[in-house]
């Protein structure tokens, strides 16, 4: 049996707090970060998102969070779910785009490190002026000739992804 003062919390970004509601003191302790064994994290700089059902859970989760980080944030289940969706776009989808770029470069025997400064500048601009304002490229300019050349040059199984992202950019900017 679990101690009646025990706090049970899950760590998922996409699961509602209700998943642990069968425990008296429950909550969520979510860190929006991708962890790898080969990379060390400075937890002090990581945001920690908490949700709790009562003052006992609040006290315990806040104490733990404040020991690890100075960036404790309160999000409800709906907000955390939206944060998780955004994290999938920012992390998983962007990383997949890096993978596709690597494939294109490898097939052409081009060193991928040629694009590292572009990767860094893209992130810096997105953080400095906003991703919306930082958007460039043929879809943003509605450069249909360049888009057509790119689609023609891509393998057929990569065209759908290129076209979907291009259309999303065009829709975002009213092109």
């Amino acid at each position: 049996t679990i101690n009646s003062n025990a706090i049970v919390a899950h760590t998922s970004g996409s699961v509602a707090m209700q998943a642990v509601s069968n425990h008296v003191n429950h909550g969520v302790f979510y860190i929006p970060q991708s962890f790898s064994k080969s990379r060390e994290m400075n937890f002090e700089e990581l945001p920690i998102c908490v949700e709790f059902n009562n003052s006992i859970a609040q006290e315990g989760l806040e104490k733990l969070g404040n020991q690890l980080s100075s960036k404790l944030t309160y999000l409800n289940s709906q907000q955390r779910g939206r944060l998780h969706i955004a994290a999938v776009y920012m992390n998983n989808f962007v990383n997949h785009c890096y993978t596709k770029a690597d494939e294109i470069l490898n097939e052409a025997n081009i060193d991928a490190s040629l694009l590292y400064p572009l990767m860094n500048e893209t992130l810096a601009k997105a953080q400095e002026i906003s991703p919306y304002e930082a958007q460039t490229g043929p879809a943003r300019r509605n450069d249909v000739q360049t888009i057509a050349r790119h689609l023609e040059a891509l393998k057929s199984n990569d065209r759908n992804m290129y076209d979907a992202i291009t259309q999303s950019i065009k829709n975002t900017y009213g092109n």
Side-chain angles (χ1 to χ4, degrees):
T1 63
I2 295 179
N3 176 328
S4 64
N5 287 328
I7 301 165
V8 175
H10 73 70
T11 59
S12 174
S14 63
V15 175
M17 182 175 67
Q18 183 179 4
V20 290
S21 65
N22 58 327
H23 300 279
V24 175
N25 307 308
H26 60 273
V28 181
F29 192 86
Y30 172 59
I31 303 171
Q33 181 58 261
S34 177
F35 295 99
S36 303
K37 289 180 183 179
S38 62
R39 298 195 40 88
E40 288 190 30
M41 290 285 166
N42 178 358
F43 277 81
E44 178 64 26
E45 296 176 6
L46 296 180
I48 297 177
C49 305
V50 295
E51 182 179 14
F52 38 81
N53 75 313
N54 63 30
S55 61
I56 293 171
Q58 177 182 4
E59 183 180 339
L61 294 175
E62 284 178 347
K63 183 176 180 182
L64 176 60
N66 285 323
Q67 286 175 347
L68 294 173
S69 174
S70 63
K71 298 182 179 183
L72 198 63
T73 301
Y74 303 93
L75 296 180
N76 64 38
S77 292
Q78 183 179 5
Q79 291 171 314
R80 194 178 55 262
R82 300 298 286 182
L83 177 64
H84 191 264
I85 293 168
V88 167
Y89 271 85
M90 187 171 287
N91 181 5
N92 307 134
F93 292 177
V94 168
N95 192 71
H96 185 65
C97 288
Y98 291 158
T99 299
K100 299 312 284 181
D102 269 355
E103 288 176 7
I104 291 165
L105 294 171
N106 288 336
E107 288 170 4
N109 198 29
I110 300 170
D111 183 358
S113 70
L114 292 172
L115 290 182
Y116 292 175
L118 177 62
M119 291 168 74
N120 294 332
E121 181 63 12
T122 300
L123 174 60
K125 282 196 314 189
Q127 290 176 328
E128 186 177 318
I129 63 172
S130 89
Y132 182 87
E133 292 296 324
Q135 185 69 56
T136 64
R140 174 67 176 97
R141 295 187 307 271
N142 199 26
D143 182 347
V144 293
Q145 288 84 13
T146 299
I147 292 168
R149 282 194 304 273
H150 288 173
L151 287 168
E152 188 177 309
L154 286 168
K155 294 185 294 187
S156 62
N157 60 333
D158 289 334
R159 291 180 188 141
N160 287 341
M161 180 181 158
Y162 183 98
D163 191 48
I165 295 172
T166 295
Q167 288 306 314
S168 182
I169 293 169
K170 285 180 166 189
N171 293 343
T172 298
Y173 293 91
N175 293 340

